[in-house]
Amino acid sequence: MSILVYTENWDGKFKKFSFELVSYAASIAKQTGSTVTALSIGNVADSELQKLSNYGTNKVLKITDDRFNSLDNKAMSKAIVAAAKAEGAKMIILAHNNLGKALAPRVAVRLQAGLETGVVALPVSFDPFIVKKKVFTGKAFAEVKINANVKVITLAQNSFEPVELHHSETIEAFNPQVADSDFTTTVKETNKVTGKVLLSDAEIVVSGGRGMKSGDNWGGLEEMADLLSAGMACSRPVSDEGWRSHTEHVGQTGKIIAPNLYMAFGISGAIQHLGGVSSSKVIVAVNKDKEAPIFEVADYGIVGDVFTVIPQMIEAIKEMKS
Amino acid sequence: MKILVLISNVPDTTTKIRFKSDNTAFDDAGVQWIINPWDELALTRAVELKEMGGVSLITVANVGNATTEPTLRKALAVGADDAIRIDVEARDAFEVATQLASVARDYDLIMAGIEASDYNGSAVGGMLAELLDIASVSSVSGINIENGQLFFNREIDGGSQVLSVTTPVVAIVQKGIAKEPRIPAMRGIMMARKKELKVTAPVSAEDRTSFVRFELPPKKAACKMVAEDNAKELIRLLHEEAKVL
Ligand SMILES: Cc1cc2nc3c(=O)[nH]c(=O)nc-3n(C[C@H](O)[C@H](O)[C@H](O)COP(=O)(O)OP(=O)(O)OC[C@H]3O[C@@H](n4cnc5c(N)ncnc54)[C@H](O)[C@@H]3O)c2cc1C
Ligand SMILES: Nc1ncnc2c1ncn2[C@@H]1O[C@H](COP(=O)(O)O)[C@@H](O)[C@H]1O
């Protein structure tokens, strides 16, 4: 049997998340006596593709057809299905991110597969095939059985540490037959922010809530984020008030993130906020109210005023760095 | 243009989650049910588009038993023209999408939420599009109609795009699609009583996944507190103990 992993690239590069996926697949392959094929769509240099083999791929299929640059969901899922069929894959693994969530359901229908999304660990068992996932926006976990022969899963970020495992690998060009009529969307305009750490990539995230009082008080948090190469985030009222851009809003109705370190300043820790950040490895809270619910999920906390604590933290970080 | 908005009926987002029958089922005793927040925003945008002209019909659809009807009535009160309930328990995404495919053919734009806040599947919208063999766009944060042509805003990593799309299309919507969910006004509630809520029989549909058991997350260790004037100690702990700096 073979396992197909769709490894998305970001401007021609892979991220830690890509290696998490490959490692996860390699671990399953080892337990089930299978091989791992990675599929890459887009312009990625062979030297970059080779990196996947450091985590246990046996083969990489690359599609370089420019038509896929529009990220058309219908066309891309057809390409993944074609690769799954060519490889005889019984399991297809994608990232539980924007693109993975968009493609996995389509791929699953086309392959008559069972789908489970947001999987957080290696399968609980293989026969029957049972995986674990978060439900109720992080308030609980569920074990789910997939009753179909072919399985499609999306893996949540930060749920599997990449392990180096070298395989000799081949890179093959792959040309799926996808008709022009399957490309159903046309990109009219693209706006990208450059130079900033992307929230979805950030290993460290600095986040502010209503306790920051106004949009004019973020200089300290921005300085801290710069020092730590961290991403910036905020609670919903902060973006509703226009203090920060809505792209920084995290939580149930905003972005869902899982950095190594999430630092919350002046955030109460409402359940809807926690839904977006509770998978972070370590949570730090600074809040003047010692009863604030954020302290129930935080690992480290300071009860105090953000406006005195933030400058002190910046000093301490500078000291640590020097 | 005709719009179909998919409506998932979910526990209020502040519900304390409990399980029953040996942790094999969600305990819904005393639970308040709401329109899934994303679906509520999708519906809000659909109503706004209709008010701007260019939309002739908004239908809402749900797969569920009779207990979901108050949620559909609320959707009618917000401004949908009619509602369809497919009378069967929602068991898994494939089954739900198969049911929805049986009523979704005549619409130009189908709107689904990025995920239902109960089981967080992120699956039904994409599955429905594949079953209908039509376009889908995920991460949609804006929808506009200009001269009868649909334009979507889509979030991508580090930015956004404007897309033109062919119809019919499934828009899988997320944050930004509407500012605030629309709250039904008294007039809307009165009118909703007269609108049609059609109950249709299910088609035969297979489910491919099943819940085995549930569990609550393990209790977190107590938060380690650091004195207000000792930020230096906090940074030391993050650096040396937690090893995240
Ligand atoms: C359906 C739904 C979806 C939602 N989705 C989201 C979501 O995705 N994300 C989200 O964030 N929220 C969401 N919310 C809103 C959520 O319920 C809370 O209202 C929100 O998270 C509160 O934001 P906050 O913590 O910044 O503000 P508050 O709750 O007002 O908390 C401010 C905190 O700052 C502290 N503080 C004040 N001044 C200082 C100071 N000088 N120094 C230190 N601490 C100080 C206070 O003690 C308080 O704990 C949602 C709500 C609903 C109903
Ligand atoms: N039982 C259902 N009836 C109608 N629409 C649904 C149902 N379940 C899910 N949906 C739609 O699909 C979206 C994603 O749900 P899910 O795939 O379950 O996370 C929801 O936001 C709804 O728009």
Side-chain angles (χ1 to χ4, degrees):
Chain A
M1 163 182 124
S2 127
I3 300 173
L4 183 75
V5 189
Y6 170 59
T7 45
E8 176 181 358
N9 73 83
W10 289 266
D11 297 322
K13 299 276 176 239
F14 294 119
K15 290 184 188 171
K16 177 165 172 262
F17 197 7
S18 320
F19 305 128
E20 289 172 15
L21 291 174
V22 172
S23 260
Y24 180 85
S27 182
I28 294 180
K30 199 171 155 206
Q31 288 184 56
T32 54
S34 331
T35 58
V36 179
T37 301
L39 174 68
S40 163
I41 305 178
N43 248 316
V44 187
D46 281 1
S47 57
E48 186 71 14
L49 292 173
Q50 231 122 36
K51 289 184 186 164
L52 298 171
S53 74
N54 296 339
Y55 298 90
T57 52
N58 302 86
K59 188 202 281 185
V60 176
L61 297 178
K62 62 171 180 183
I63 300 176
T64 48
D65 185 340
D66 282 342
R67 291 181 302 168
F68 290 103
N69 293 351
S70 64
L71 302 179
D72 187 280
N73 291 179
K74 191 176 182 214
M76 286 185 91
S77 49
K78 283 217 164 156
I80 296 173
V81 166
K85 288 192 172 151
E87 291 295 302
K90 291 283 178 290
M91 189 182 300
I92 297 88
I93 301 176
L94 300 94
H96 194 59
N97 62 4
N98 284 344
L99 196 54
K101 286 182 209 177
L103 301 177
R106 299 199 70 130
V107 170
V109 166
R110 186 62 54 167
L111 290 172
Q112 301 186 322
L115 168 71
E116 210 41 74
T117 58
V119 171
V120 295
L122 283 173
V124 176
S125 72
F126 286 97
D127 192 14
F129 190 84
I130 297 176
V131 286
K132 191 168 173 173
K133 68 165 289 184
K134 278 192 185 170
V135 290
F136 296 102
T137 323
K139 287 193 267 184
F141 290 97
E143 285 179 7
V144 193
K145 183 162 84 178
I146 300 184
N147 303 314
N149 189 22
V150 178
K151 283 102 183 157
V152 177
I153 60 181
T154 64
L155 181 70
Q157 191 163 7
N158 266 344
S159 34
F160 199 79
E161 261 315 301
V163 203
E164 295 217 13
L165 171 73
H166 192 79
H167 279 172
S168 61
E169 138 178 334
T170 54
I171 298 175
E172 287 173 17
F174 183 65
N175 286 307
Q177 299 303 308
V178 180
D180 279 340
S181 59
D182 287 320
F183 291 85
T184 48
T185 46
T186 314
V187 177
K188 294 282 173 196
E189 201 181 300
T190 300
N191 303 298
K192 273 203 174 191
V193 212
T194 47
K196 282 213 280 178
V197 178
L198 293 182
L199 189 50
S200 51
D201 279 0
E203 301 262 311
I204 300 176
V205 171
V206 171
S207 182
R210 200 139 57 184
M212 296 302 293
K213 296 292 188 305
S214 92
D216 304 327
N217 300 335
W218 294 73
L221 292 186
E222 280 180 345
E223 186 181 352
M224 193 186 298
D226 268 351
L227 280 169
L228 299 171
S229 305
M232 293 286 292
C234 67
S235 68
R236 179 160 120 175
V238 167
S239 62
D240 284 351
E241 294 286 341
W243 298 353
R244 299 294 297 181
S245 148
H246 77 87
T247 54
E248 293 183 1
H249 157 201
V250 293
Q252 186 192 304
T253 49
K255 292 209 165 74
I256 295 178
I257 55 171
N260 276 333
L261 174 60
Y262 180 73
M263 297 202 269
F265 296 89
I267 292 176
S268 59
I271 192 76
Q272 297 91 355
H273 183 82
L274 299 179
V277 302
S278 59
S279 299
S280 309
K281 230 182 230 165
V282 173
I283 296 179
V284 168
V286 178
N287 194 304
K288 68 177 181 190
D289 174 10
K290 70 173 194 321
E291 305 291 334
I294 188 84
F295 289 119
E296 285 163 32
V297 298
D299 302 275
Y300 299 96
I302 291 184
V303 178
D305 190 303
V306 288
F307 299 110
T308 49
V309 175
I310 292 170
Q312 286 190 29
M313 283 179 69
I314 291 173
E315 279 319 301
I317 292 166
K318 284 184 179 159
E319 227 172 90
M320 176 193 77
K321 296 234 158 201
S322 66
Chain B
M1 182 166 310
K2 291 186 188 170
I3 302 181
L4 178 69
V5 183
L6 309 182
I7 301 285
S8 175
N9 176 56
V10 297
D12 182 275
T13 52
T14 56
T15 303
K16 189 152 173 58
I17 302 303
R18 291 192 191 84
F19 300 103
K20 60 180 183 186
S21 317
D22 235 5
N23 286 326
T24 58
F26 173 62
D27 183 356
D28 60 3
V31 167
Q32 294 280 338
W33 297 90
I34 59 168
I35 303 177
N36 184 40
W38 302 114
D39 304 344
E40 197 179 21
L41 289 175
L43 175 61
T44 299
R45 185 60 190 157
V47 173
E48 288 169 2
L49 289 170
K50 189 167 177 225
E51 286 168 353
M52 288 185 258
V55 174
S56 56
L57 176 75
I58 302 172
T59 300
V60 287
N62 169 263
V63 178
N65 59 31
T67 61
T68 71
E69 288 198 1
T71 294
L72 282 175
R73 283 279 168 217
K74 185 178 169 200
L76 290 171
V78 169
D81 298 299
D82 57 14
I84 303 172
R85 181 171 67 79
I86 303 169
D87 189 21
V88 63
E89 205 81 44
R91 296 188 307 271
D92 91 328
F94 184 69
E95 177 241 358
V96 168
T98 308
Q99 298 299 347
L100 290 168
S102 72
V103 300
R105 296 258 169 217
D106 292 335
Y107 297 87
D108 307 289
L109 169 63
I110 301 170
M111 296 170 84
I114 182 71
E115 68 169 30
S117 64
D118 50 5
Y119 300 115
N120 309 146
S122 298
V124 169
M127 284 187 168
L128 176 59
E130 191 66 32
L131 287 167
L132 298 173
D133 198 20
I134 62 174
S136 62
V137 180
S138 198
S139 310
V140 173
S141 60
I143 298 182
N144 292 292
I145 304 172
E146 281 162 39
N147 304 323
Q149 162 84 40
L150 270 176
F151 292 92
F152 290 174
N153 295 68
R154 168 170 72 183
E155 297 283 316
I156 53 170
D157 269 295
S160 63
Q161 291 182 321
V162 180
L163 307 174
S164 69
V165 292
T166 56
T167 52
V169 61
V170 178
I172 300 167
V173 308
Q174 62 165 46
K175 182 184 156 53
I177 188 72
K179 246 179 131 49
E180 281 292 319
R182 199 172 277 216
I183 312 294
M186 205 50 196
R187 203 177 107 83
I189 296 170
M190 303 293 287
M191 278 167 55
R193 291 195 194 135
K194 295 194 209 98
K195 291 178 179 170
E196 188 188 14
L197 195 168
K198 196 161 92 191
V199 179
T200 64
V203 294
S204 90
E206 159 195 19
D207 42 343
R208 293 180 177 161
T209 60
S210 49
F211 288 105
V212 179
R213 56 183 287 272
F214 295 94
E215 68 189 33
L216 295 174
K219 274 253 176 303
K220 243 189 138 152
C223 181
K224 212 173 228 186
M225 294 312 240
V226 176
E228 181 180 12
D229 56 2
N230 203 359
K232 211 174 148 172
E233 171 65 3
L234 175 66
I235 299 302
R236 189 194 68 78
L237 286 167
L238 293 175
H239 181 53
E240 291 173 14
E241 186 180 86
K243 298 192 167 62
V244 287
L245 280 187

